[in-house]
């Protein structure tokens, strides 16, 4: 039998399991022999002791004599426990096994390959919380504990991550030092290294936690230097969730954006990664296998978006002990390397789902690494460059989230963004500071306050007439973010009915070279043009909107950029112009060709703009009474969204799809289907805690309309007016521009059509 505890270095767990088996079954065996298999030398020493205890004479080959003895003793059974066989590459353990059916063998190991010795072996999983607490209570000698003591015990085992060795020695520490669980916790926080170096004298395993692992650390450094370096790197990230993508990102150049706003390619070494850590994928896999074989890490697969991602985790105590054994200069360098790895892996030249996905995989790492910046006593005081790398990632992710969806803000999100904004003001250059301001102001629900903040920032920094040409920091990348802020302010002023003509925005900001803008300024220019077109649409100046948006969409074929996200968004704005005019044919035509080109260049629903365009097209088909085509697209689309399993990303389009299916059933007087689909939409919105005053009103009021349509409820003029006010209250706003909220403008035609229907049929 091979035993290995699933929670990393559980030197007590696997050994204790073997000893418990031996004790419970001692009457079955003529003898039980315990062999230290940690090294071949220790194994041979124990074999010689077995030889002497069996009085086998004085042969030259004592090991061979023991094996021959067991082969001859057919009438009795023997048990041999080969303990701590953790380095199976160092010697051939199986060559020491006696060949006899009467000898039962147990090996305990942290090496994954030990299952080759006994495929039926036992893999011990992490201890359950109650098991951990029971072990600590027993080892600490805590009898009849109070409720507060039990709570403290639970906190201790949680801090020790249910590691049997650490729990056993924590209990011994409490008993020996007459220390309560609460006092142990305080010492663990303030004197962690000293506590973990405690070595119990009477334990079945007399080495301290740190000493026990030091042997493995040293062995790893010799056997696999790359694996040893990766272990140190992992310990400075969030050790619980390290995506393989971070490693694979080091194997190839990535595209970044230079200060002028143009993309460039950079490899890992030139991006600040130590050359000895940069290897190919095969070398990384070999190093990972070595870490797995030492049980320093474990791995599993998570589904992120439409793909499976391999994720590694490192026991927190292993991470701590890995850090504690290196000098201060190495600690600082390792923290910097962790930040550099995140920075290099970040898909900066992307405005789409890859950034959102990266944010999901690295959010906890960003929070952890932010904590290094202000710890000058540990990591030095010159981390401005690394702070900017983290801030660029955080603000870029938040930009995409805000423009592409309405993400939920958790408490940790709020804390991270608040800390990031504080650091941007302290460490940021002109570009980072402006990016932080541009995103930070978007979090204010009070649009009037946000508009005044934008105006004040622009005035205080002398940006009323655009960038300062004499400032070397005010280059293309800075100018693109300035454009974002100016456009955002323009949308706020429009929503606040401040009377600006849309043409004002055309003159308020432009690329440094309008005829040949940098790549990133070009994106800002496109957003500006779309915003102006949508503002003309909103005030009913359809000819002006048509001129600007047709010119905008026509630009993409000229530069061979069809089917891209920007092309799709331009097409959606043009379709929206025809949508408000109820010109369903032109609206459909505006979207069909860009959608076809997107499929040709293999853009799929993991791209937000493809999702948005698909929903707009489905709604236009429904409004144009092409019900069967719309239903077919909606059902296939909904299935694909469910398979993606990304609530923050897919709930809004799924909500819209259920609304469209409900609208079709409603139009066709299929009351049962309509009711089920409206309720499905409501359920989705409720799962994301959407306020009733927003798009939820569309589904809620449509359900209420079913009761009027089927005469379950009477409808008079007063009731109709109340219903009409409700369905139009809280329609999706445009806090950050048209693309800020997925459901902006969704269902407007249905609101009008449903109101006309009720007035016509029920009043």
């Amino acid at each position: 039998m091979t035993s290995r505890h699933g929670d990393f270095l559980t030197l007590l767990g696997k050994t204790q399991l073997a000893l418990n088996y031996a004790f419970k079954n001692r009457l079955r065996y003529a003898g039980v022999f315990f062999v230290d298999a940690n090294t071949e030398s220790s194994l041979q020493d124990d074999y010689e002791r077995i030889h002497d205890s069996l009085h086998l004479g004085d042969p030259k080959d004592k090991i061979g004599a023991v094996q021959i003895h067991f082969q001859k003793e057919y009438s009795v059974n023997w048990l041999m426990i080969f303990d701590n066989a953790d380095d199976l590459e160092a010697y051939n353990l199986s060559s020491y096994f006696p060949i006899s059916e009467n000898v039962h063998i147990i090996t305990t190991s942290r090496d994954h390959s030990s299952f080759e010795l006994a495929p039926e072996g036992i893999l011990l999983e992490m201890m359950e919380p109650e098991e951990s607490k029971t072990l600590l209570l027993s080892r600490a000698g805590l009898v009849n504990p109070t409720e507060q003591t039990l709570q403290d015990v639970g906190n201790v085992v949680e801090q020790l991550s249910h590691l049997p060795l650490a729990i056993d020695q924590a209990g011994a520490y409490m008993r020996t030092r007459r220390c309560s669980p609460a006092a142990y916790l305080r010492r663990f926080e303030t004197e962690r290294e000293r506590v973990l170096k405690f070595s119990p004298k009477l334990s079945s395993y007399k080495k301290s936690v740190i000493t026990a692992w030091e042997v493995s650390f040293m062995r790893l450094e010799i056997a696999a230097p790359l694996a040893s370096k990766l272990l140190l790197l992992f310990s400075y990230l969030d050790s619980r969730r390290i995506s393989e993508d971070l490693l694979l990102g080091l194997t190839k150049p990535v595209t970044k954006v230079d200060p002028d706003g143009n993309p460039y390619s950079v490899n890992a070494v030139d991006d600040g990664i130590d050359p000895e850590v940069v290897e190919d994928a095969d070398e990384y896999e070999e190093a990972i296998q070595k870490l797995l074989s030492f049980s320093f890490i474990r791995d599993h697969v998570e589904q992120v978006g439409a793909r499976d991602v391999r994720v590694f985790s490192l026991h927190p105590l292993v991470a701590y002990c890995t850090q504690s054994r290196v000098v201060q200069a190495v600690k600082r360098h390792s923290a910097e390397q962790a930040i550099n790895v995140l920075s290099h892996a970040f898909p900066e030249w992307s405005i789409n789902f890859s950034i959102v996905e990266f944010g999901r995989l690295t959010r906890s790492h960003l929070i952890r690494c932010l904590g290094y910046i202000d710890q000058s006593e540990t990591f030095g005081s010159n981390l401005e460059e690394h702070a900017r790398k983290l801030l660029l990632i955080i603000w870029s992710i938040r930009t995409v989230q805000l423009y592409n969806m309405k993400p939920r803000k958790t408490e940790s999100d709020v804390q991270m963004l608040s800390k990031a904004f504080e650091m941007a003001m302290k460490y940021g250059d002109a570009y980072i500071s402006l990016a932080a301001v541009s995103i930070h102001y978007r979090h204010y629900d009070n649009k009037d306050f946000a508009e005044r903040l934008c105006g004040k920032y622009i005035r205080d920094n002398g940006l009323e007439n655009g960038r300062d040409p004499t400032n070397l920091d005010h280059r293309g990348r800075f100018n693109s973010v300035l454009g974002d802020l100016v456009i955002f302010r323009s949308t706020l002023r429009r929503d606040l009915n401040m009377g600006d003509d849309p043409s004002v925005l055309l003159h308020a900001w432009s690329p440094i070279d309008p005829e040949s803008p940098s790549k990133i300024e070009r994106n800002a220019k496109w957003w500006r043009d779309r915003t102006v077109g949508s503002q003309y649409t909103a005030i009913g100046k359809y000819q002006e909107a048509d001129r600007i948006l047709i010119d905008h969409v026509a630009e993409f074929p000229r530069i061979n950029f069809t089917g891209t996200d920007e092309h799709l968004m331009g097409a959606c704005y043009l379709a929206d112009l025809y949508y408000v005019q109820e010109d369903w044919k032109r609206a459909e035509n505006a979207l069909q060709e860009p959608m076809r080109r997107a499929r040709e260049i293999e853009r799929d629903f993991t791209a937000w703009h493809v999702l948005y365009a698909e929903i707009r097209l489905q709604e236009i088909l429904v409004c144009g009474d092409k019900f069967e085509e719309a239903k077919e697209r909606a059902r296939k689309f909904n299935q694909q969204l469910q398979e993606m399993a990304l609530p923050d990303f897919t709930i809004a389009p799924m909500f819209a799809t259920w609304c469209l299916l409900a609208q079709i059933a409603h139009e066709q007087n299929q009351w049962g289907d309509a009711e089920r689909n409206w309720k499905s939409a409501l359920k989705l919105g409720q799962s994301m805690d959407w306020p009733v005053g927003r798009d939820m009103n569309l589904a809620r009021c449509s359900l209420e309309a079913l009761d009027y349509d089927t005469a379950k409820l009477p409808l008079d003029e007063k009731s109709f007016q109340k219903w009409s006010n409700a369905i139009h209250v809280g329609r999706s706003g445009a806090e950050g521009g048209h693309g800020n909220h997925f459901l902006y403008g969704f269902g407007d035609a249905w609101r009008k059509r449903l109101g006309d229907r009720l007035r016509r049929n029920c009043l």
Side-chain angles (χ1 to χ4, degrees):
M1 177 181 69
T2 294
S3 167
R4 186 183 68 80
H5 198 290
D7 192 31
F8 314 98
L9 304 180
T10 51
L11 298 175
L12 175 71
K14 55 187 174 57
T15 301
Q16 193 64 53
L17 178 67
L19 291 175
N20 287 346
Y21 174 85
F23 179 77
K24 291 180 180 180
N25 295 276
R26 62 190 182 280
L27 299 180
R28 294 176 54 192
Y29 299 106
V32 177
F33 300 98
F34 193 89
V35 178
D36 182 0
N38 189 44
T39 66
E40 189 169 25
S41 176
S42 65
L43 182 148
Q44 291 174 348
D45 289 344
D46 281 352
Y47 246 109
E48 290 186 5
R49 280 191 283 272
I50 294 172
H51 170 274
D52 295 343
S53 68
L54 292 173
H55 307 293
L56 298 181
D58 191 24
K60 293 182 179 179
D61 182 9
K62 290 187 176 183
I63 295 173
V66 171
Q67 291 176 319
I68 292 172
H69 173 76
F70 285 143
Q71 291 171 14
K72 291 180 178 179
E73 291 288 336
Y74 295 118
S75 58
V76 294
N77 293 326
W78 307 88
L79 175 63
M80 294 192 72
I81 299 173
F82 292 83
D83 191 41
N84 290 334
D86 298 330
D87 190 4
L88 296 178
E89 293 184 4
Y91 67 96
N92 185 2
L93 176 64
S94 61
S95 67
Y96 289 93
F97 293 167
I99 303 174
S100 171
E101 294 182 357
N102 293 70
V103 179
H104 297 176
I105 296 173
I106 295 176
T107 65
T108 71
S109 177
R110 291 183 282 110
D111 194 326
H112 281 213
S113 61
S114 62
F115 278 98
E116 296 176 10
L117 300 174
E120 71 280 9
I122 298 173
L123 174 65
L124 295 181
E125 299 299 336
M126 183 181 292
M127 288 181 69
E128 294 294 329
E130 290 304 316
E131 294 174 326
S132 300
K133 288 189 281 189
T134 299
L135 174 61
L136 183 59
L137 288 169
S138 172
R139 194 69 182 93
L142 297 173
V143 181
N144 299 322
T146 65
E147 184 175 338
Q148 182 59 51
T149 298
L150 287 175
Q151 183 176 337
D152 292 338
V153 165
N155 292 334
V156 170
V157 298
E158 193 67 32
Q159 281 286 333
L160 299 176
S161 300
H162 308 284
L163 185 69
L165 171 62
I167 293 171
D168 174 73
Q169 298 191 358
Y173 184 98
M174 293 178 201
R175 184 191 287 262
T176 303
R177 303 292 172 86
R178 300 182 182 279
C179 168
S180 70
Y184 178 87
L185 277 173
R186 290 192 294 271
R187 294 180 190 179
F188 186 81
E189 287 298 321
T190 59
E191 307 173 68
R192 183 167 305 188
E193 185 170 353
R194 181 180 173 185
V195 169
L196 292 176
K197 283 183 176 179
F198 171 76
S199 179
K201 296 179 180 179
L202 300 179
S203 172
S204 59
Y205 195 84
K206 295 182 174 58
K207 294 180 180 179
S208 71
V209 174
I210 290 181
T211 304
W213 293 342
E214 180 62 24
V215 174
S216 294
F217 289 142
M218 295 175 64
R219 183 184 295 163
L220 183 70
E221 286 175 338
I222 296 171
L226 176 60
S228 179
K229 289 180 173 62
L230 290 181
L231 182 65
L232 184 58
L233 174 64
F234 286 179
S235 73
Y236 280 90
L237 294 166
D238 175 17
S239 59
R240 299 164 299 177
R241 191 168 181 259
I242 302 168
S243 165
E244 186 180 39
D245 287 359
L246 291 179
L247 284 184
L248 297 180
L250 303 181
T251 65
K252 55 184 180 292
V254 296
T255 303
K256 301 291 184 179
V257 180
D258 67 21
D260 288 320
N262 290 308
Y264 70 98
S265 181
V266 61
N267 62 44
V269 173
D270 291 339
D271 214 11
I273 309 299
D274 288 342
E276 59 266 29
V277 178
V278 179
E279 297 289 351
D280 60 30
D282 291 338
E283 291 290 333
Y284 283 133
E285 181 57 30
E286 185 175 333
I288 289 299
Q289 289 302 321
K290 183 62 69 173
L291 290 173
L292 288 168
S293 72
F294 274 71
S295 291
F296 281 124
I297 66 172
R298 66 192 306 180
D299 65 345
H300 67 279
V301 174
E302 292 184 14
Q303 186 176 19
V304 179
R307 66 190 185 95
D308 291 334
V309 176
R310 189 183 186 193
V311 175
F312 309 116
S313 54
L314 176 70
H315 194 288
L317 288 183
V318 174
Y320 175 79
C321 291
T322 300
Q323 295 178 10
S324 67
R325 62 191 301 271
V326 299
V327 298
Q328 194 61 47
V330 176
K331 290 180 179 179
R332 176 178 178 178
H333 182 70
S334 299
E336 293 174 349
Q337 284 294 291
I339 294 171
N340 287 342
V341 166
L342 290 173
S343 175
H344 184 73
F346 176 59
E348 184 180 354
W349 186 248
S350 172
I351 54 173
N352 220 318
F353 184 68
S354 55
I355 285 184
V356 178
E357 182 179 303
F358 183 86
R360 290 193 180 94
L361 289 171
T362 61
R363 178 175 161 278
S364 59
H365 303 307
L366 294 169
I367 294 173
R368 183 180 177 92
C369 288
L370 274 179
Y372 300 144
I373 303 302
D374 284 336
Q375 296 181 42
S376 57
E377 71 283 0
T378 303
F379 301 107
S381 57
N382 188 29
L383 285 176
E384 287 89 347
E385 177 187 353
H386 296 89
R388 290 169 186 170
K389 289 181 178 181
L390 291 174
L391 294 170
L392 173 63
I393 297 172
I394 291 170
W395 296 121
S396 297
I397 291 171
R398 199 62 183 174
T399 299
V400 173
Q401 289 176 330
L402 285 171
Y403 284 117
N404 292 351
M405 62 194 76
K406 276 289 188 185
R408 288 184 293 183
K409 283 192 296 184
T410 64
E411 184 62 31
S412 60
D413 285 329
V414 172
Q415 292 175 0
M416 180 180 73
L417 292 170
S418 176
K419 182 68 174 177
F421 185 73
E422 174 188 324
M423 285 191 173
M425 298 301 101
K426 182 177 181 180
Y427 296 115
D429 55 16
Y431 167 65
I432 291 294
S433 299
L434 180 58
V437 166
S438 181
I439 298 303
H440 186 68
Y441 291 173
R442 284 169 168 79
H443 289 95
Y444 291 105
D445 291 328
N446 186 323
K447 295 183 180 182
D448 180 63
F449 182 61
E451 192 280 329
R452 284 188 279 113
L453 284 177
C454 290
K456 184 177 185 303
Y457 182 87
I458 290 172
R459 289 191 300 274
D460 289 350
N461 289 274
L463 299 172
E464 299 97 319
N465 299 314
R467 71 185 187 95
D468 178 2
T470 65
N471 190 328
L472 295 180
D473 288 332
H474 288 197
R475 295 156 71 180
R477 189 167 64 166
F478 173 89
N479 193 47
S480 72
V481 181
L482 177 59
D484 290 346
L485 184 63
V486 170
I487 297 165
F488 171 58
R489 187 188 182 198
S490 173
T491 63
L492 292 175
R493 293 179 66 83
R494 180 198 65 189
D495 293 343
L496 294 167
N497 298 315
M498 299 183 75
D500 294 348
D501 188 85
S503 62
V504 171
L505 182 55
L506 292 173
H507 306 291
W509 177 88
S510 68
I512 295 173
D513 182 354
E515 298 302 318
S516 182
S518 66
K519 296 294 179 61
I520 198 166
E521 286 179 295
R522 187 180 64 181
N523 292 339
K525 172 186 174 295
W526 286 337
W527 182 30
R528 181 201 66 183
D529 293 345
R530 289 194 298 266
T531 301
V532 172
S534 70
Q535 290 181 358
Y536 274 131
T537 299
I539 62 177
K541 292 188 175 182
Y542 299 142
Q543 287 186 341
E544 290 87 340
D546 193 71
R547 174 179 53 80
I548 287 177
L549 292 173
I550 284 180
D551 286 347
H552 171 65
V553 172
E555 183 176 350
F556 297 101
R558 291 198 300 269
I559 62 173
N560 195 27
F561 218 61
T562 56
T564 61
D565 298 335
E566 297 289 347
H567 186 203
L568 287 173
M569 286 309 297
C572 286
Y573 278 67
L574 184 59
D576 288 349
L577 168 63
Y578 302 136
Y579 177 100
V580 298
Q581 299 175 77
E582 299 186 7
D583 190 340
W584 309 122
K585 183 61 178 177
R586 293 179 74 189
E588 180 185 345
N589 289 341
L591 285 171
Q592 288 284 17
E593 177 60 19
M595 290 288 289
R596 184 189 66 79
R597 284 291 297 133
R599 289 192 297 271
E600 286 182 355
I601 63 174
E602 298 183 346
R603 303 292 289 142
D604 58 25
F605 293 137
T606 59
W608 182 90
H609 301 82
V610 179
L611 283 176
Y612 185 80
E614 175 64 27
I615 285 296
R616 294 308 273 168
L617 179 57
Q618 287 181 24
E619 184 180 8
I620 288 164
L621 290 172
V622 172
C623 292
D625 297 333
K626 294 188 175 182
F627 295 150
E628 293 307 314
E629 182 180 349
K631 279 197 292 188
E632 183 64 22
R633 294 186 76 110
R635 286 167 180 162
K636 289 181 179 179
F637 182 61
N638 224 1
Q639 180 63 37
Q640 289 176 281
L641 293 178
Q642 291 175 23
E643 292 172 357
M644 288 171 66
L646 289 170
D648 281 348
F649 192 72
T650 59
I651 287 295
M654 288 175 68
F655 174 88
T657 301
W658 282 117
C659 286
L660 291 173
L661 290 171
Q663 181 181 338
I664 293 171
H666 208 136
E667 294 267 30
Q668 297 178 328
N669 297 335
Q670 296 170 352
W671 311 122
D673 288 344
E675 181 179 9
R676 281 190 295 273
N677 292 336
W678 286 124
K679 286 183 176 179
S680 294
L682 274 175
K683 185 176 180 181
L684 279 175
Q686 290 164 352
S687 73
M688 298 296 284
D689 299 323
W690 286 357
V692 173
R694 284 193 177 278
D695 305 283
M696 297 287 279
N697 271 349
L698 178 66
R700 186 177 62 81
C701 291
S702 295
L703 266 175
E704 184 180 340
L706 283 176
D707 289 337
Y708 297 136
D709 268 324
T710 57
K712 290 182 180 178
L713 290 176
L715 182 67
D716 55 26
E717 187 62 42
K718 184 177 180 181
S719 299
F720 174 77
Q721 193 58 50
K722 181 180 178 182
W723 175 91
S724 181
N725 291 338
I727 200 170
H728 289 98
V729 164
R731 289 165 57 188
S732 304
E735 292 175 18
H738 184 102
N740 184 48
H741 185 19
F742 191 95
L743 297 174
Y744 175 75
F746 175 78
D748 284 355
W750 172 243
R751 288 179 171 92
K752 180 177 181 299
R753 185 176 296 190
L754 185 57
D756 292 344
R757 174 189 177 115
L758 289 182
R759 179 173 290 280
R760 182 176 62 251
N761 295 342
C762 303
L763 286 179

